[in-house]
Amino acid sequence: MPTKSTILHGVAAAALAAGYFYYRRSGTVFRSRVVGIIPARFASSRFQGKPLVHILGKPMIQRTWERAKLATTLDRVVVATDDEKIAECCRGFGADVIMTAESCRNGAERCSEALQKLEKKYDIVVNIQGDEPLIEPEIIDGIVKALQTTPDAVFSTAVTSLKPEDAFDPNRVKCVVDNRGYAIYFSRGLIPFNKSGKVNPEFPYNLHLGIQSYDSKFLKIYPDLTPTPLQLEEDLEQLKVLENGYKMKVIKVDHDAHGVDTPEDVAKIESFMHERNLS
């Protein structure tokens, strides 16, 4: 499923603006050691046992892991879970598994705990959401490179074009960015919102994709940051980053998003895969 991944306003321009070459010494890339972590929990208010649901014969968590393994920037890919059923499933298809606490409130906290349990040190952690089983490896590589070339950012993520039919779906998170490619805000509502209260067919709305990378030093302190009002109101962990004043780099990609949020989404993604002969 080919795609084109492009950083908003260009990686090269952002790198120069942020002083990237100051951080490049002796041929070594800034933040060079990268681990991909797939957080997975069995309990979910919207879809119990979602990581283990089968999509055309394979558990969704396996499909996500297989896609992540194709990314060229990742030195390692692990699954972080608090559930033995998920752990057993993942070990069965060859994944490395890190057991984490049930008390983790979101994927970022689960990634943070897993990072501290890994025996090797990493500069970047990529949080790969298990409910995007068709995520493109090029998108993973894109957000890693965005963080490597933007020293003032501690977080990077990806957006794609929002489909009009998803404009008012609270499960489809929207994002607005500034003219340098840094995130301004995320919302479950439609942003920006105009006076008519309707979708503007001429406006390039952004849909947030559930993949993000963190500077590992920042990720270690993330769980200790006090939850913020915007984060709690929207139930979006990205807002705690922004509300505490940290910078987040955004890349825009051409990608058909097929997130699995509800049991009904499984049939939709299987139909999509059948139409395109994806196995």
Side-chain angles (χ1 to χ4, degrees), residues 34-52:
V34 186
V35 61
I37 300 179
I38 306 172
R41 65 190 182 105
F42 191 88
S44 172
S45 58
R46 287 181 295 179
F47 195 167
Q48 189 87 348
K50 183 167 65 169
L52 300 181

Side-chain angles (χ1 to χ4, degrees), residues 50-259:
K50 183 167 65 169
L52 300 181
V53 68
H54 276 229
I55 296 177
L56 296 186
K58 287 184 180 180
M60 185 164 64
I61 188 73
Q62 180 177 354
R63 289 194 174 277
T64 304
W65 177 81
E66 289 174 349
R67 300 297 292 175
K69 293 283 284 185
L70 297 175
T72 61
T73 55
L74 300 184
D75 298 306
R76 186 180 180 187
V77 179
V78 302
V79 174
T81 186
D82 58 5
D83 186 87
E84 281 296 340
K85 293 184 291 295
I86 293 175
E88 183 179 355
C89 172
C90 293
R91 294 186 187 108
F93 58 75
D96 291 337
V97 177
I98 300 293
M99 298 304 296
T100 52
E102 291 184 17
S103 58
C104 293
R105 292 169 291 188
N106 52 48
E109 291 192 7
R110 199 169 301 282
C111 286
S112 179
E113 182 182 341
L115 172 67
Q116 296 178 64
K117 289 184 174 180
L118 293 171
E119 67 280 4
K120 291 186 178 180
K121 303 298 181 184
Y122 294 94
D123 306 307
I124 291 176
V125 176
V126 186
N127 178 347
I128 304 166
Q129 301 286 8
D131 56 8
E132 261 272 335
L134 296 182
I135 190 70
E136 291 292 343
E138 292 88 350
I139 296 176
I140 297 173
D141 292 335
I143 66 167
V144 169
K145 291 172 183 175
L147 199 54
Q148 288 174 332
T149 56
T150 315
D152 62 340
V154 298
F155 191 119
S156 64
T157 190
V159 298
T160 193
S161 297
L162 177 72
K163 295 178 181 178
E165 59 267 30
D166 291 334
F168 298 104
D169 183 346
N171 293 321
R172 301 294 187 249
V173 176
K174 295 79 177 175
C175 174
V176 289
V177 300
D178 67 18
N179 58 15
R180 295 180 61 228
Y182 290 94
I184 298 174
Y185 194 70
F186 294 83
S187 181
R188 295 185 181 278
L190 182 63
I191 51 172
F193 193 75
N194 58 59
K195 290 181 179 179
S196 74
K198 299 177 181 178
V199 176
N200 178 0
E202 304 300 319
F203 192 88
Y205 299 99
N206 292 321
L207 170 69
H208 181 232
L209 299 176
I211 181 167
Q212 42 222 17
S213 70
Y214 318 90
D215 178 278
S216 62
K217 294 184 180 66
F218 169 74
L219 184 59
K220 288 177 181 178
I221 68 168
Y222 173 87
D224 297 326
L225 295 175
T226 302
T228 59
L230 294 175
Q231 174 202 4
L232 294 173
E233 184 65 17
E234 295 258 18
D235 190 23
L236 294 174
E237 61 189 82
Q238 299 83 9
L239 293 176
K240 184 165 78 164
V241 180
L242 296 180
E243 210 168 351
N244 275 286
Y246 293 98
K247 285 186 173 290
M248 185 183 304
K249 188 67 175 173
V250 179
I251 67 171
K252 186 157 189 178
V253 301
D254 179 12
H255 177 65
D256 286 327
H258 296 282

